[in-house]
Amino acid sequence: MPDVLVAGAGPTGLLTAFELERAGVDVLVLERDPEPATQSKALGLQPRSVEVLADRGLLAAIEPHVRAKLPAGHFSGVPIDYRDLPTRFPYQLGVEQVHVTAAIEARLRTPVLRGAAVTAVVQDDAGVTVTAGGREHRAGWLVAADGGHSTVRTLLGAAFPGRPARTSLVVADVTLAAKPAGLAEDWTLPSSGSGYLLPLSGGRYRTIVYGEEQHRLGRDAPVTAGEVQRALTAAHGPDVVLGEVLWASRFGDASRQLERYRHGRVLFAGDAAHIHLPVGGQGLNLGLQDAANLGWKLAATVHGTAPDGLLDSYHDERHPIAARVLVSTRAQAVLGVPDPDAAAVRAVVTELLAVPEARRAVAAELSGLGVTYAGVIGRADDPAGPDGRAVLVGAAVPAGWTGRVEGREGAAPRLVRPDGYVVWDGGPGLDEALRRWVGAPA
């Protein structure tokens, strides 16, 4: 019997499983779809996510598929320079989500169980029983990372307040039969207009279109080739000729968030916990950071070494971060509305973001590098421990913690949580920090 079940083999679920496994926890990932996804989906890794993947030795497998290192992010199409950010990776990586998930899945000890759609969840004081793919699976805990339409969330009746979508957009992977020279030949930041085109691997292109037709059609209406062609012609002229629509999805700017990320022995992460306009890859990156925060805390809970309140601190730390992203993406949605008043606001915001202090503040938020938590001093440059332990640099590991803390040499003393945040940097207070984040000494 596994210690933890994970519902959903997207990037959030897979990284959560990876974090648990490297801490010595047995995990089984349950995935509805029978085969790995091939659609491009999200296309950008923000600097903080790149740091996390690099520290865990996952970046090397992703790098061959990187199409661009973009020295800026964007706020509703307004470029936000990243080049002076305090990181080894002052850029976002342009890479298809499918390569990110493949790199993480390849490192799991236990293969993903595919064709296993969750249909029932029953929990008690000792664990969780999940019916998936017609079979029952039992574990101590369940991580629900099963997307914006989370089945687990529905089965538990978890409150998911917010507002419905007010706009409708289409995202599609397509081939082109013809296009003008110079169009969509390199990766660039998206503009605020409909018809954005980006080259993908294998002769494919990503496009995002929106307008009156998309707003009029219902969420369940199929995306047709004629609809995409009309949008591309309106944006680029008649020389852009659609070949084939390989994959397409309608989405909107709905904004919702769970009131609590923990429901007994079920914890929610990624889009299952929060949905918003998917702008700038914020959903992918927010989910990866949820996984990095949750994995080590749940592992310590499974091992029985977690201090009081450690697992609940996952909600306490991550809920406000997602709430802020929801505010940011809602603001970006307003700036993208094709309306003269919205255009006026956009012009003012663009001027404000040219002010260095404002630009740096927004860059810190978009990149994920500005994220901090109560009791955290800052981010560490030290790679994460290979076995998911905390890392103590420049000081001897006190007796009673040697099995749960990795000691390393270094001139600057610091205690680093398994997710890469410094919680002590010399002087008194080491024992207190160890008790708070690692647990009582053995």
Side-chain angles (χ1 to χ4, degrees):
M1 184 180 84
D3 300 310
V4 178
L5 296 169
V6 175
T12 301
L14 291 173
L15 187 60
T16 303
F18 175 84
E19 292 290 279
L20 289 164
E21 282 195 348
R22 75 190 187 97
V25 173
D26 290 329
V27 186
L28 177 62
V29 179
L30 306 171
E31 169 54 40
R32 174 195 62 192
D33 295 335
E35 299 293 337
T38 58
Q39 305 96 331
S40 58
K41 297 190 177 181
L43 298 176
L45 289 172
Q46 296 288 355
R48 178 56 187 154
S49 294
V50 180
E51 288 183 344
V52 167
L53 295 169
D55 289 347
R56 285 151 180 76
L58 295 167
L59 185 60
I62 297 170
E63 285 180 322
H65 306 284
V66 170
R67 300 295 298 272
K69 293 181 179 180
L70 300 170
H74 73 93
F75 190 84
S76 191
V78 179
I80 304 294
D81 192 352
Y82 281 176
R83 286 175 291 187
D84 61 352
L85 291 176
T87 176
R88 295 165 287 160
F89 308 101
Y91 45 77
Q92 61 170 314
L93 293 182
V95 61
E96 298 171 37
Q97 177 178 304
V98 63
H99 300 304
V100 178
T101 54
I104 303 172
E105 184 175 349
R107 293 282 299 278
L108 296 183
R109 292 197 302 267
T110 302
V112 172
L113 182 61
R114 299 190 177 275
V118 174
T119 56
V121 176
V122 179
Q123 58 176 317
D124 51 47
D125 291 341
V128 185
T129 301
V130 176
T131 304
R135 295 173 51 198
E136 286 191 351
H137 303 271
R138 178 75 176 174
W141 301 86
L142 168 65
V143 175
D146 53 340
H149 299 285
S150 170
T151 299
V152 176
R153 191 180 63 223
T154 301
L155 290 169
L156 294 187
F160 199 44
R163 66 158 179 79
R166 295 180 298 186
T167 61
S168 181
L169 305 88
V170 166
V171 59
D173 291 352
V174 303
T175 61
L176 297 177
K179 73 174 183 67
L183 176 65
E185 293 184 353
D186 298 305
W187 275 53
T188 59
L189 293 173
S191 66
S192 61
S194 176
Y196 172 64
L197 275 171
L198 192 72
L200 303 175
S201 59
R204 300 169 300 138
Y205 293 83
R206 154 68 61 86
T207 186
I208 299 176
V209 301
Y210 55 91
E212 182 180 340
E213 182 175 6
Q214 286 70 47
H215 189 68
R216 184 178 69 253
L217 293 170
R219 176 68 185 265
D220 296 328
V223 178
T224 65
E227 178 187 355
V228 176
Q229 179 66 73
R230 286 188 290 275
L232 292 177
T233 300
H236 305 291
D239 292 337
V240 174
V241 180
L242 179 68
E244 182 182 1
V245 177
L246 303 172
W247 163 78
S249 177
R250 297 189 190 277
F251 67 95
D253 63 342
S255 182
R256 298 185 181 277
Q257 186 178 21
L258 280 175
E259 293 178 339
R260 296 293 303 176
Y261 284 9
R262 179 180 177 183
H263 289 249
R265 288 181 168 267
V266 180
L267 298 116
F268 289 86
D271 290 348
H274 38 70
I275 61 170
H276 53 81
L277 181 70
V279 59
Q282 290 296 301
L284 165 62
N285 291 274
L286 192 60
L288 291 175
Q289 299 305 317
D290 285 349
N293 188 288
L294 172 60
W296 67 277
K297 295 174 180 179
L298 183 53
T301 303
V302 169
H303 291 317
T305 59
D308 291 343
L310 181 68
L311 187 57
D312 288 329
S313 75
Y314 164 62
H315 167 88
D316 297 338
E317 292 187 341
R318 294 303 300 169
H319 191 277
I321 302 302
R324 177 59 188 173
V325 170
L326 264 62
V327 169
S328 174
T329 52
R330 288 170 66 183
Q332 293 182 66
V334 171
L335 292 182
V337 172
D339 174 87
D341 290 341
V345 176
R346 182 183 185 83
V348 172
V349 170
T350 301
E351 292 176 359
L352 291 174
L353 291 178
V355 177
E357 291 79 3
R359 191 267 308 165
R360 280 193 289 269
V362 174
E365 185 173 290
L366 295 177
S367 66
L369 298 174
V371 169
T372 189
Y373 310 118
V376 164
I377 298 167
R379 301 181 345 273
D381 292 330
D382 312 88
D387 51 7
R389 289 185 293 170
V391 174
L392 181 60
V393 180
V397 178
W401 283 292
T402 53
R404 283 172 281 154
V405 179
E406 176 188 343
R408 294 182 188 170
E409 295 182 355
R414 56 196 175 278
L415 175 63
V416 185
R417 298 190 331 185
D419 57 351
Y421 288 94
V422 178
V423 291
W424 172 81
D425 61 354
L430 175 58
D431 279 14
E432 179 183 355
L434 286 166
R435 288 176 182 275
R436 176 176 180 182
W437 299 111
V438 182

